[in-house]
Amino acid sequence: DKYAIPRTLRSAVRQKRFKLTTDVEFERVIRSCADREQTWISEDIIDCYCELHRMGYAHSVESWSGGELAGGLYGVAIGGAFFGESMFHQIKDASKVAMVGLISQLRRGGFALLDTQWLTEHLARMGGKEIFRSEYIVRLKQALEQKCAFVSSGQTEIEIDSGLFSCHRER
């Protein structure tokens, strides 16, 4: 709820430098996330997440520039919780704009929890915060009891929620 588009990212979003889609290139996104020197994303992991995607649990958000995949992220949606797994970019700001699209998608779907696993500097600037395990367990339990849909039937494009421009993070 405390998410806001960082000032440095607003122009990329407002200018619509990237087209955002969801679940169009899931396997390409996960393989692009794995394409680095050190990664935990093995072929077995890719196979498992692709199966979760076919089952409707794993989702991707893709950022496109000039018809090319420029960045993206993927994760797993269960109930009202989304568990972000990894992200990548080929062009500056592509993964950050994908994160803005993810937040819009989660808000639209009524999700209560976005688990990012690690609080990076990048995620902290976007309003992410660490919480105590006890608080996480309570939030997770509540989120898992919700019935949320990550995508609408037939949806492939993501529109950024204009309300994200007016939100303010806690400092």
Side-chain angles (χ1 to χ4, degrees):
D1 290 334
K2 303 298 180 202
Y3 178 79
I5 300 172
R7 216 174 291 140
T8 56
L9 189 57
R10 287 181 190 176
S11 65
V13 174
R14 281 198 173 114
Q15 293 170 5
K16 298 186 177 187
R17 281 197 263 158
F18 299 98
K19 175 184 172 185
L20 296 178
T21 59
T22 183
D23 294 341
V24 171
E25 289 286 351
F26 182 85
E27 186 170 345
R28 242 176 102 192
V29 168
I30 192 171
R31 287 190 179 283
S32 295
C33 289
D35 187 18
R36 50 185 82 164
E37 279 188 38
Q38 291 186 323
T39 184
W40 58 273
I41 307 171
S42 66
E43 281 300 315
D44 286 341
I45 295 288
I46 291 171
D47 291 345
C48 289
Y49 277 94
C50 286
E51 181 62 23
L52 286 171
H53 175 65
R54 284 187 287 279
M55 295 168 65
Y57 292 104
H59 300 280
S60 58
V61 174
E62 303 96 10
S63 291
W64 299 87
S65 178
E68 298 294 322
L69 185 61
L73 57 84
Y74 76 96
V76 175
I78 303 173
F82 188 89
F83 305 90
E85 295 297 335
S86 190
M87 55 197 317
F88 82 99
H89 70 278
Q90 302 293 338
I91 297 175
K92 183 180 187 265
D93 294 333
S95 63
K96 294 175 188 172
V97 173
M99 178 64 86
V100 174
L102 173 66
I103 298 293
S104 285
Q105 198 68 8
L106 296 177
R107 284 186 172 188
R108 219 180 270 87
F111 282 73
L113 180 68
L114 170 56
D115 180 329
T116 61
Q117 296 179 20
W118 305 103
L119 182 62
T120 63
E121 182 181 328
H122 161 69
L123 293 172
R125 280 195 308 269
M126 297 176 114
K129 68 176 190 169
E130 289 185 342
I131 59 176
F132 289 107
R133 186 177 195 280
S134 57
E135 182 180 348
Y136 176 78
I137 297 298
V138 169
R139 288 184 185 206
L140 178 61
K141 184 175 189 244
Q142 292 170 344
L144 292 176
E145 291 171 354
Q146 291 182 257
K147 293 200 184 312
C148 298
F150 184 76
V151 292
S152 304
S153 179
Q155 178 191 8
T156 57
E157 290 195 25
I158 296 176
E159 291 295 322
I160 302 295
D161 177 7
S162 61
L164 290 176
F165 287 101
S166 60
C167 294
H168 300 286
R169 296 188 313 264
E170 286 182 0
R171 296 260 177 210

Short mmCIF file of all heavy atoms in Angstrom, two decimals, residues 44-79:
data_model
loop_
_atom_site.label_atom_id
_atom_site.label_comp_id
_atom_site.label_asym_id
_atom_site.label_seq_id
_atom_site.Cartn_x
_atom_site.Cartn_y
_atom_site.Cartn_z
N ASP A 44 15.69 -27.57 -13.99
CA ASP A 44 14.61 -28.18 -13.20
C ASP A 44 13.68 -27.10 -12.65
O ASP A 44 12.45 -27.27 -12.67
CB ASP A 44 15.18 -29.00 -12.03
CG ASP A 44 15.78 -30.31 -12.49
OD1 ASP A 44 15.46 -30.78 -13.60
OD2 ASP A 44 16.58 -30.89 -11.72
N ILE A 45 14.25 -26.00 -12.17
CA ILE A 45 13.44 -24.89 -11.65
C ILE A 45 12.59 -24.31 -12.79
O ILE A 45 11.39 -24.06 -12.61
CB ILE A 45 14.34 -23.80 -11.03
CG1 ILE A 45 15.08 -24.33 -9.79
CG2 ILE A 45 13.56 -22.53 -10.74
CD1 ILE A 45 14.21 -24.53 -8.58
N ILE A 46 13.22 -24.10 -13.95
CA ILE A 46 12.47 -23.57 -15.10
C ILE A 46 11.31 -24.49 -15.45
O ILE A 46 10.18 -24.03 -15.65
CB ILE A 46 13.41 -23.36 -16.31
CG1 ILE A 46 14.39 -22.21 -16.01
CG2 ILE A 46 12.61 -23.09 -17.59
CD1 ILE A 46 15.50 -22.06 -17.02
N ASP A 47 11.55 -25.79 -15.51
CA ASP A 47 10.49 -26.74 -15.82
C ASP A 47 9.35 -26.66 -14.80
O ASP A 47 8.17 -26.66 -15.17
CB ASP A 47 11.03 -28.17 -15.86
CG ASP A 47 11.94 -28.42 -17.05
OD1 ASP A 47 11.94 -27.61 -18.01
OD2 ASP A 47 12.67 -29.44 -17.02
N CYS A 48 9.70 -26.59 -13.52
CA CYS A 48 8.68 -26.52 -12.46
C CYS A 48 7.85 -25.24 -12.55
O CYS A 48 6.63 -25.28 -12.44
CB CYS A 48 9.33 -26.64 -11.09
SG CYS A 48 9.97 -28.28 -10.72
N TYR A 49 8.53 -24.11 -12.74
CA TYR A 49 7.80 -22.85 -12.84
C TYR A 49 6.95 -22.79 -14.11
O TYR A 49 5.84 -22.24 -14.09
CB TYR A 49 8.73 -21.64 -12.76
CG TYR A 49 9.05 -21.29 -11.33
CD1 TYR A 49 10.18 -21.77 -10.70
CD2 TYR A 49 8.19 -20.46 -10.59
CE1 TYR A 49 10.47 -21.46 -9.39
CE2 TYR A 49 8.46 -20.14 -9.27
CZ TYR A 49 9.60 -20.64 -8.67
OH TYR A 49 9.87 -20.33 -7.37
N CYS A 50 7.43 -23.36 -15.20
CA CYS A 50 6.62 -23.41 -16.42
C CYS A 50 5.37 -24.25 -16.20
O CYS A 50 4.29 -23.91 -16.70
CB CYS A 50 7.44 -23.92 -17.60
SG CYS A 50 8.62 -22.68 -18.21
N GLU A 51 5.49 -25.32 -15.43
CA GLU A 51 4.32 -26.13 -15.09
C GLU A 51 3.36 -25.33 -14.20
O GLU A 51 2.14 -25.35 -14.40
CB GLU A 51 4.73 -27.44 -14.41
CG GLU A 51 3.57 -28.35 -14.04
CD GLU A 51 2.75 -28.83 -15.24
OE1 GLU A 51 3.26 -28.85 -16.37
OE2 GLU A 51 1.56 -29.17 -15.03
N LEU A 52 3.90 -24.59 -13.22
CA LEU A 52 3.06 -23.73 -12.38
C LEU A 52 2.36 -22.67 -13.24
O LEU A 52 1.21 -22.31 -12.99
CB LEU A 52 3.89 -23.05 -11.29
CG LEU A 52 4.33 -23.94 -10.14
CD1 LEU A 52 5.34 -23.21 -9.25
CD2 LEU A 52 3.12 -24.41 -9.32
N HIS A 53 3.05 -22.19 -14.26
CA HIS A 53 2.45 -21.21 -15.18
C HIS A 53 1.29 -21.86 -15.94
O HIS A 53 0.20 -21.27 -16.04
CB HIS A 53 3.52 -20.68 -16.15
CG HIS A 53 2.97 -19.78 -17.19
ND1 HIS A 53 2.41 -18.55 -16.91
CD2 HIS A 53 2.88 -19.93 -18.53
CE1 HIS A 53 2.00 -17.99 -18.02
NE2 HIS A 53 2.28 -18.81 -19.02
N ARG A 54 1.49 -23.05 -16.47
CA ARG A 54 0.42 -23.76 -17.19
C ARG A 54 -0.79 -24.01 -16.27
O ARG A 54 -1.93 -24.02 -16.74
CB ARG A 54 0.93 -25.07 -17.77
CG ARG A 54 1.80 -24.89 -19.02
CD ARG A 54 2.15 -26.21 -19.68
NE ARG A 54 3.13 -26.99 -18.94
CZ ARG A 54 4.45 -26.79 -18.97
NH1 ARG A 54 4.95 -25.82 -19.70
NH2 ARG A 54 5.27 -27.55 -18.28
N MET A 55 -0.52 -24.21 -14.99
CA MET A 55 -1.59 -24.45 -14.01
C MET A 55 -2.29 -23.15 -13.58
O MET A 55 -3.30 -23.20 -12.89
CB MET A 55 -1.01 -25.16 -12.78
CG MET A 55 -0.49 -26.55 -13.07
SD MET A 55 0.49 -27.23 -11.69
CE MET A 55 -0.74 -27.36 -10.41
N GLY A 56 -1.71 -22.00 -13.96
CA GLY A 56 -2.34 -20.72 -13.63
C GLY A 56 -1.81 -20.05 -12.36
O GLY A 56 -2.38 -19.06 -11.92
N TYR A 57 -0.74 -20.58 -11.79
CA TYR A 57 -0.19 -20.01 -10.55
C TYR A 57 0.98 -19.05 -10.80
O TYR A 57 1.11 -18.04 -10.12
CB TYR A 57 0.29 -21.11 -9.61
CG TYR A 57 -0.83 -21.93 -9.03
CD1 TYR A 57 -1.08 -23.21 -9.50
CD2 TYR A 57 -1.65 -21.42 -8.03
CE1 TYR A 57 -2.12 -23.97 -8.99
CE2 TYR A 57 -2.68 -22.17 -7.51
CZ TYR A 57 -2.92 -23.45 -8.00
OH TYR A 57 -3.95 -24.20 -7.50
N ALA A 58 1.85 -19.36 -11.74
CA ALA A 58 3.02 -18.53 -12.01
C ALA A 58 2.69 -17.55 -13.13
O ALA A 58 2.01 -17.92 -14.10
CB ALA A 58 4.23 -19.39 -12.38
N HIS A 59 3.16 -16.33 -12.97
CA HIS A 59 2.85 -15.27 -13.93
C HIS A 59 4.09 -14.44 -14.23
O HIS A 59 5.00 -14.35 -13.40
CB HIS A 59 1.76 -14.35 -13.38
CG HIS A 59 0.50 -15.06 -13.08
ND1 HIS A 59 -0.43 -15.38 -14.06
CD2 HIS A 59 0.00 -15.55 -11.92
CE1 HIS A 59 -1.44 -16.03 -13.50
NE2 HIS A 59 -1.20 -16.14 -12.20
N SER A 60 4.08 -13.83 -15.40
CA SER A 60 5.16 -12.92 -15.76
C SER A 60 4.58 -11.57 -16.15
O SER A 60 3.43 -11.47 -16.57
CB SER A 60 5.97 -13.49 -16.94
OG SER A 60 5.16 -13.71 -18.06
N VAL A 61 5.40 -10.55 -15.96
CA VAL A 61 5.10 -9.22 -16.48
C VAL A 61 6.27 -8.88 -17.39
O VAL A 61 7.43 -8.98 -16.99
CB VAL A 61 4.97 -8.17 -15.35
CG1 VAL A 61 4.80 -6.77 -15.92
CG2 VAL A 61 3.81 -8.52 -14.43
N GLU A 62 5.95 -8.53 -18.64
CA GLU A 62 6.97 -8.25 -19.64
C GLU A 62 6.95 -6.77 -20.03
O GLU A 62 5.89 -6.18 -20.19
CB GLU A 62 6.74 -9.08 -20.91
CG GLU A 62 6.69 -10.57 -20.68
CD GLU A 62 5.29 -11.15 -20.52
OE1 GLU A 62 4.29 -10.43 -20.77
OE2 GLU A 62 5.18 -12.34 -20.15
N SER A 63 8.14 -6.19 -20.19
CA SER A 63 8.31 -4.83 -20.70
C SER A 63 8.86 -4.94 -22.12
O SER A 63 9.87 -5.61 -22.34
CB SER A 63 9.32 -4.05 -19.86
OG SER A 63 8.82 -3.77 -18.59
N TRP A 64 8.20 -4.28 -23.05
CA TRP A 64 8.58 -4.34 -24.47
C TRP A 64 9.00 -2.96 -24.95
O TRP A 64 8.38 -1.95 -24.60
CB TRP A 64 7.40 -4.81 -25.30
CG TRP A 64 6.92 -6.18 -24.93
CD1 TRP A 64 5.99 -6.49 -23.96
CD2 TRP A 64 7.33 -7.42 -25.48
NE1 TRP A 64 5.82 -7.85 -23.89
CE2 TRP A 64 6.62 -8.44 -24.82
CE3 TRP A 64 8.23 -7.77 -26.49
CZ2 TRP A 64 6.78 -9.79 -25.12
CZ3 TRP A 64 8.40 -9.10 -26.79
CH2 TRP A 64 7.68 -10.09 -26.12
N SER A 65 10.02 -2.92 -25.76
CA SER A 65 10.47 -1.68 -26.39
C SER A 65 10.74 -1.97 -27.86
O SER A 65 11.54 -2.87 -28.17
CB SER A 65 11.73 -1.16 -25.71
OG SER A 65 12.20 0.01 -26.35
N GLY A 66 10.06 -1.27 -28.75
CA GLY A 66 10.24 -1.50 -30.18
C GLY A 66 9.96 -2.92 -30.60
O GLY A 66 10.62 -3.45 -31.48
N GLY A 67 9.01 -3.56 -29.95
CA GLY A 67 8.65 -4.93 -30.28
C GLY A 67 9.57 -6.00 -29.72
O GLY A 67 9.38 -7.18 -29.96
N GLU A 68 10.59 -5.58 -28.97
CA GLU A 68 11.55 -6.52 -28.37
C GLU A 68 11.34 -6.60 -26.85
O GLU A 68 11.04 -5.60 -26.21
CB GLU A 68 12.98 -6.07 -28.65
CG GLU A 68 13.35 -6.04 -30.12
CD GLU A 68 13.35 -7.42 -30.75
OE1 GLU A 68 13.76 -8.39 -30.09
OE2 GLU A 68 12.90 -7.53 -31.92
N LEU A 69 11.54 -7.79 -26.31
CA LEU A 69 11.46 -7.98 -24.87
C LEU A 69 12.64 -7.24 -24.21
O LEU A 69 13.79 -7.58 -24.46
CB LEU A 69 11.49 -9.47 -24.52
CG LEU A 69 11.30 -9.83 -23.05
CD1 LEU A 69 9.94 -9.35 -22.53
CD2 LEU A 69 11.43 -11.33 -22.85
N ALA A 70 12.33 -6.24 -23.41
CA ALA A 70 13.36 -5.37 -22.82
C ALA A 70 13.61 -5.66 -21.35
O ALA A 70 14.64 -5.29 -20.80
CB ALA A 70 12.97 -3.91 -22.99
N GLY A 71 12.66 -6.33 -20.70
CA GLY A 71 12.79 -6.63 -19.28
C GLY A 71 11.55 -7.33 -18.80
O GLY A 71 10.57 -7.48 -19.54
N GLY A 72 11.59 -7.76 -17.55
CA GLY A 72 10.42 -8.41 -16.99
C GLY A 72 10.69 -9.04 -15.65
O GLY A 72 11.79 -8.94 -15.10
N LEU A 73 9.66 -9.67 -15.15
CA LEU A 73 9.74 -10.35 -13.86
C LEU A 73 8.75 -11.49 -13.84
O LEU A 73 7.87 -11.57 -14.70
CB LEU A 73 9.46 -9.36 -12.72
CG LEU A 73 8.13 -8.61 -12.73
CD1 LEU A 73 7.00 -9.43 -12.12
CD2 LEU A 73 8.27 -7.29 -12.02
N TYR A 74 8.91 -12.37 -12.89
CA TYR A 74 7.94 -13.46 -12.73
C TYR A 74 7.80 -13.80 -11.26
O TYR A 74 8.63 -13.45 -10.43
CB TYR A 74 8.34 -14.69 -13.55
CG TYR A 74 9.46 -15.51 -12.96
CD1 TYR A 74 9.20 -16.62 -12.18
CD2 TYR A 74 10.79 -15.14 -13.15
CE1 TYR A 74 10.23 -17.36 -11.62
CE2 TYR A 74 11.82 -15.87 -12.60
CZ TYR A 74 11.53 -16.98 -11.83
OH TYR A 74 12.55 -17.71 -11.28
N GLY A 75 6.70 -14.49 -10.96
CA GLY A 75 6.45 -14.91 -9.59
C GLY A 75 5.23 -15.82 -9.55
O GLY A 75 4.68 -16.20 -10.59
N VAL A 76 4.80 -16.11 -8.34
CA VAL A 76 3.70 -17.04 -8.12
C VAL A 76 2.60 -16.35 -7.33
O VAL A 76 2.87 -15.68 -6.32
CB VAL A 76 4.19 -18.29 -7.35
CG1 VAL A 76 3.03 -19.21 -7.00
CG2 VAL A 76 5.24 -19.04 -8.17
N ALA A 77 1.37 -16.50 -7.80
CA ALA A 77 0.19 -15.93 -7.13
C ALA A 77 -0.61 -17.06 -6.49
O ALA A 77 -0.98 -18.02 -7.16
CB ALA A 77 -0.67 -15.18 -8.14
N ILE A 78 -0.83 -16.92 -5.19
CA ILE A 78 -1.66 -17.87 -4.45
C ILE A 78 -2.57 -17.05 -3.55
O ILE A 78 -2.08 -16.27 -2.72
CB ILE A 78 -0.83 -18.85 -3.60
CG1 ILE A 78 0.18 -19.62 -4.46
CG2 ILE A 78 -1.75 -19.82 -2.86
CD1 ILE A 78 1.15 -20.47 -3.66
N GLY A 79 -3.88 -17.21 -3.73
CA GLY A 79 -4.82 -16.41 -2.95
C GLY A 79 -4.57 -14.94 -3.23
O GLY A 79 -4.52 -14.52 -4.38
#
